[in-house]
Amino acid sequence: MLAKLTERNATFFEIELDKLDRWSDDLKVGLEQELKELDRQIREARRSAQIAALLAEKLSIQKQVRELEATRNRKRRELFDAQDRVDKQRQDLIETIEKKLQQDCKVTPVFTVRWSLI
């Protein structure tokens, strides 16, 4: 009985950990793709600023670069925050499983049957 319970808890743990890992990977991949796209846009804007002829145009492009860099920095913080949330959830899951493993099993008589042969 205890072996079945331990096996069931191990299966539950593996399933939940797998879900958490897949969610984490999806989140990281999405944010990393956004970061790569922002980096590409920043490089493109910087090239445009270098070839721009008018000062007003260069300033406008530099302002756009600053905004893109601010967005990129915000996305990086979101990525780190998301990784911290995943680590916290993983730790919570491990603590929950540890508590379940510390179960106390004992036998308690519910009733007693007595009989006699006459």
Side-chain angles (χ1 to χ4, degrees), residues 23-35 79:
W23 174 72
S24 170
D25 291 343
D26 289 346
L27 187 66
K28 284 191 278 188
V29 166
L31 287 170
E32 286 171 353
Q33 286 176 345
E34 288 180 38
L35 286 170
L79 177 62

Side-chain angles (χ1 to χ4, degrees), residues 9-21 85-101:
N9 282 344
T11 302
F12 166 75
F13 178 72
E14 290 298 322
I15 290 170
E16 291 303 311
L17 200 57
D18 186 50
K19 286 181 193 176
L20 193 60
D21 287 340
R85 282 194 311 271
V86 168
D87 290 342
K88 171 87 170 90
Q89 287 182 337
R90 181 179 306 230
Q91 185 61 35
D92 290 346
L93 179 62
I94 290 170
E95 288 174 5
T96 300
I97 297 300
E98 283 177 342
K99 288 177 185 175
K100 286 184 178 183
L101 289 176

Side-chain angles (χ1 to χ4, degrees), residues 45-65:
R46 285 181 179 160
R47 279 189 217 116
S48 297
Q50 288 177 348
I51 61 174
L54 301 174
L55 180 60
E57 190 178 351
K58 286 182 184 269
L59 290 174
S60 174
I61 294 171
Q62 287 301 321
K63 182 178 177 182
Q64 180 185 6
V65 168

Side-chain angles (χ1 to χ4, degrees), residues 103-117:
Q103 295 176 0
D104 185 23
C105 297
K106 58 185 174 183
V107 176
T108 306
V110 177
F111 60 90
T112 305
V113 177
R114 292 197 175 128
W115 70 88
S116 63
L117 296 173

Side-chain angles (χ1 to χ4, degrees), residues 31-84:
L31 287 170
E32 286 171 353
Q33 286 176 345
E34 288 180 38
L35 286 170
K36 285 180 184 178
E37 176 61 22
L38 284 167
D39 285 338
R40 186 194 63 74
Q41 290 174 2
I42 289 169
R43 282 192 307 273
E44 192 175 291
R46 285 181 179 160
R47 279 189 217 116
S48 297
Q50 288 177 348
I51 61 174
L54 301 174
L55 180 60
E57 190 178 351
K58 286 182 184 269
L59 290 174
S60 174
I61 294 171
Q62 287 301 321
K63 182 178 177 182
Q64 180 185 6
V65 168
R66 265 197 334 267
E67 290 170 359
L68 287 169
E69 288 174 339
T71 302
R72 180 185 60 190
N73 292 339
R74 190 181 82 248
K75 290 290 182 183
R76 282 184 182 157
R77 283 191 299 274
E78 286 177 19
L79 177 62
F80 293 136
D81 291 343
Q83 289 172 333
D84 289 345

